[in-house]
Amino acid sequence: MASPSLSVPYALLPSIQQTHLIDDDDDPITIDRSIFSLLENKRYEWKNMLMGHVGAWCVGSSHGWIVLLDQNGVPLLLNSSSSTTINVPPLPLSFLHPVTYSYFAEYLRKTFIVKATLMFSSSPSSYILAIIYGSNNKIAYCNSATWVELSHDKQSYCDIVFSNNYLYALKQDGSVEVWNICGQIPKRLILLTPTVEENDEDEKSYLGDNFSRNLYLVVSAKEIFLVIRFIGNFVNDDGLVVEEGDLLSSEDTQPLICPYRTKYFTVYKLDIRDKKWKKMRSLHDKVLFLGANESVSMDAKACLGCEGNSIYFTDDRWEEMTLDYMYGGHDWGVFNLQEKCVKSLMQCANKIDPPPIWVVP
């Protein structure tokens, strides 16, 4: 590989040499990847990036580390700049219930973990890996040796992030839990249930049945953000969101290919005193990176090649990526809060397998 800077955020992509749309786990080329450098606005081939891990599937990234599941579904941590690897204990069978390991590895491995995030203490060997997993979006963590499920209640989570040795967890209703998971027994320290400011006119057109929403939590040194991503479920070649019924007209025998696409974002900042998520009109000189990576905010000046007041996002609709061989992984780009529009970063096919993922050092 030529040497793009790995000290700034980049997107991890399939090999440039990949000839078929869907990654064949047994093909040796799966150890090759490419990266898209924001600094140089250019794609580079990265030969043998996953050397020794043929068919490994990337489920997340955090602090420059990539979280993988190998072909047997066993987690593995890879440091992208030093090539250091850390083996993680296999997921307990109770997490996979009622299926077997072999069924999980063959059919569920690519959709089972929704989010993965890391915290290191004194050295890489003393890590905590936290995940959102399964169809019920539960949280579990591994403290270098043992897996622990966070709670047995019926909570469904949509994002997790570590900050100051605490785990912050976002629920579908916009509430936030803060956990201490460094001791013997996990303890929920705080439950915040802020109200969300009313939708304004801009958002109202994105609230119907033709749209889905993803929620993200970004915790920086001084601020906590809630980000809502509005995704058109079926978007035609003109960028218009269409009804599912419009995909097949009476003359057509083949339905139109109208992949889901992100159309809009709203950002809120937590006002702890008023217990409210307050809408932000601008991120000013900040940049957010969202998707399968740990949700993160950076100063645009520290992100050479990035545009301030923008959200850089990748596709994280794991279930839907595997449903259709015509598209999936394609929904990535940048959204500028002032211009209120999505721009693509590079020309791509509608099917990117494995999907792009941000790696933020």
Side-chain angles (χ1 to χ4, degrees), residues 136-193:
N136 296 324
N137 285 17
K138 295 179 178 179
I139 296 177
Y141 65 92
C142 179
N143 55 7
S144 311
T146 315
W147 280 99
V148 179
E149 193 175 74
L150 203 53
S151 64
H152 294 288
D153 53 14
K154 294 278 185 278
Q155 300 298 348
S156 179
Y157 297 92
C158 35
D159 205 359
I160 46 174
V161 60
F162 279 114
S163 181
N164 294 325
N165 295 341
Y166 296 113
L167 181 71
Y168 290 71
L170 175 69
K171 296 194 283 192
Q172 292 289 352
D173 61 359
S175 59
V176 177
E177 298 176 349
V178 184
W179 289 80
N180 179 356
I181 58 174
C182 294
Q184 291 287 321
I185 296 169
K187 283 197 181 93
R188 190 175 80 179
L189 305 177
I190 301 171
L191 169 63
L192 298 165
T193 52

Side-chain angles (χ1 to χ4, degrees), residues 86 119-128 143-144:
I86 297 173
M119 180 174 76
F120 291 104
S121 42
S122 50
S123 69
S125 58
S126 54
Y127 65 87
I128 295 180
N143 55 7
S144 311

Side-chain angles (χ1 to χ4, degrees), residues 194-250:
T195 54
V196 181
E197 269 188 356
E198 283 296 304
N199 295 303
D200 56 23
E201 288 308 311
D202 283 341
E203 273 114 71
K204 285 191 175 149
S205 54
Y206 302 106
L207 296 176
D209 293 340
N210 295 329
F211 289 87
S212 305
R213 302 192 323 165
N214 280 10
L215 274 63
Y216 303 90
L217 183 68
V218 180
V219 181
S220 67
K222 297 177 183 162
E223 298 163 315
I224 299 179
F225 300 119
L226 165 70
V227 185
I228 303 180
R229 173 178 180 174
F230 296 92
I231 304 163
N233 296 327
F234 302 99
V235 181
N236 68 18
D237 289 343
D238 298 324
L240 299 172
V241 178
V242 295
E243 305 258 352
E244 187 172 8
D246 298 339
L247 301 185
L248 194 60
S249 69
S250 53

Side-chain angles (χ1 to χ4, degrees), residues 34-47:
S34 66
I35 69 170
F36 178 75
S37 163
L38 288 169
L39 177 62
E40 294 149 280
N41 198 32
K42 190 174 171 187
R43 193 173 173 189
Y44 291 87
E45 183 72 359
W46 193 342
K47 297 295 279 182

Side-chain angles (χ1 to χ4, degrees), residues 11 23 25 35 53-54 65 79 81 83 87 91 156 178 192 259 310 320 341 343-344:
D23 209 7
D25 290 340
I35 69 170
H53 309 294
V54 169
W65 288 76
N79 186 301
S81 52
S83 298
N87 293 308
L91 296 165
S156 179
V178 184
L192 298 165
S310 294
E320 276 160 81
C341 68
K343 293 180 284 197
S344 66

